[in-house]
Amino acid sequence: MANEKVLSKTLNDVYNQTIALDKKCTKDLVQEYLKVVSEVMDQLKQTNKLFQNIYSGIFFTGSYYDGLRVSEATEFDLDVILKLPVNVDKLKIITQKVYPGYVKINLADEIKWLRQHPRWTEIYREIDYWITPEGYLSEGKLNQWFESILNKSLEKRSQDGFQAKVKLSKSGPAITLKLLSLSPKIDIDLVPVFQFQHPLWPNLPVRQYNNEPKKTWFIVPKKKNDQSRIFWRLAFP
């Protein structure tokens, strides 16, 4: 028992001295990056009316927020939550056994309704770009759209004279904001996701809802080995 206590104390000392994040330094970095993220989201809403109308918030994920990061907090993962401006209960959510953990979303009927919206041309017309001729929501096209409006908003942000310098890079479904003017430099991975909630739920073989407290689920534009680019990875935050 004595040896176990000594070992426990030794491991705790090693963690605190060499692994645990410096709390003050981390707090300062987090505050700084959250400020920039807030500025970028505000700029996106000002730059793009569609984003302004479908943006729902930020979901913080990744090793830092899971309490698993043991090195300096310079990388952060954020889901940018979007909501489809249609009657989601009428969406066709299609699962296939060959692609477990993925779904297809068909909104052919709902997009016809949305095109009759009085503000279709002013706000929602860009959604047409995300939809395949068969009515499926394309994760590839959504990612391209999101990257495009991010680029435009950052150009506007630069013109408006914000101090923090930001550069974009691309990796998988994430678009990385590189904060170059901070020390140390910070990378923020942004992934656009669509949010849904029970009672809307994917069919089998996806695990069925069983009165869990968490009713929300996301579809994430993670590319599948499929040329159609219409399969979305499921996530249950």
Side-chain angles (χ1 to χ4, degrees):
M1 182 66 70
N3 288 338
E4 289 180 3
K5 288 183 178 179
V6 171
L7 177 59
S8 177
K9 183 179 184 306
T10 301
L11 290 174
N12 190 56
D13 290 343
V14 169
Y15 178 82
N16 287 327
Q17 292 172 20
T18 64
I19 298 179
L21 299 174
D22 183 301
K23 291 184 179 179
K24 183 182 185 308
C25 178
T26 299
K27 182 180 179 181
D28 292 343
L29 283 173
V30 169
Q31 287 179 340
E32 194 63 36
Y33 108 81
L34 287 177
K35 176 184 175 183
V36 174
V37 168
S38 178
E39 291 172 357
V40 170
M41 292 300 112
D42 286 344
Q43 195 72 58
L44 274 170
K45 287 185 281 186
Q46 293 174 27
T47 305
N48 188 274
K49 288 186 178 181
L50 176 57
F51 183 84
Q52 182 185 66
N53 280 268
I54 65 174
Y55 172 71
S56 182
I58 294 289
F59 181 78
F60 300 94
T61 183
S63 59
Y64 173 75
Y65 287 98
D66 291 339
L68 301 176
R69 176 163 288 279
V70 295
S71 58
E72 197 168 33
T74 58
E75 297 177 0
F76 300 92
D77 301 309
L78 280 69
D79 289 340
V80 180
I81 302 172
L82 309 175
K83 290 191 176 181
L84 287 168
V86 298
N87 184 350
V88 294
D89 292 333
K90 294 186 177 181
L91 295 178
K92 296 174 183 175
I93 302 170
I94 302 163
T95 57
Q96 292 184 329
K97 290 183 179 179
V98 292
Y99 293 142
Y102 285 78
V103 295
K104 295 189 293 185
I105 305 288
N106 190 290
L107 39 68
D109 294 337
E110 287 305 294
I111 200 68
K112 290 178 184 177
W113 170 85
L114 188 59
R115 289 186 184 121
Q116 306 306 313
H117 194 286
R119 303 187 73 185
W120 165 257
T121 302
E122 179 188 357
I123 296 177
Y124 299 113
R125 190 182 188 91
E126 288 177 72
I127 292 178
D128 256 345
Y129 178 71
W130 310 342
I131 312 299
T132 70
E134 298 76 25
Y136 288 101
L137 188 61
S138 167
E139 53 86 12
K141 291 181 177 180
L142 176 82
N143 250 342
Q144 290 172 2
W145 171 82
F146 186 61
E147 183 177 5
S148 172
I149 65 170
L150 256 180
N151 271 312
K152 289 178 182 177
S153 69
L154 291 182
E155 288 174 8
K156 181 69 167 60
R157 187 176 184 277
S158 177
Q159 294 169 5
D160 290 347
F162 284 93
Q163 290 184 346
K165 294 181 180 179
V166 179
K167 180 182 177 182
L168 282 188
S169 69
K170 187 77 185 294
S171 177
I175 299 172
T176 304
L177 294 179
K178 293 182 173 291
L179 308 191
L180 306 177
S181 55
L182 299 181
S183 181
K185 294 180 175 60
I186 291 178
D187 287 353
I188 306 168
D189 283 351
L190 300 177
V191 178
V193 302
F194 284 108
Q195 176 179 286
F196 302 98
Q197 188 165 323
H198 185 270
L200 185 68
W201 202 262
N203 295 322
L204 292 170
V206 176
R207 177 181 58 82
Q208 295 303 286
Y209 179 78
N210 189 27
N211 294 320
E212 292 95 341
K214 293 184 178 180
K215 299 182 178 182
T216 299
W217 53 282
F218 296 159
I219 56 171
V220 182
K222 186 171 183 179
K223 185 178 179 181
K224 190 73 181 161
N225 293 329
D226 178 271
Q227 296 301 316
S228 65
R229 302 296 300 272
I230 58 175
F231 286 92
W232 297 71
R233 182 172 62 80
L234 289 167
F236 299 90

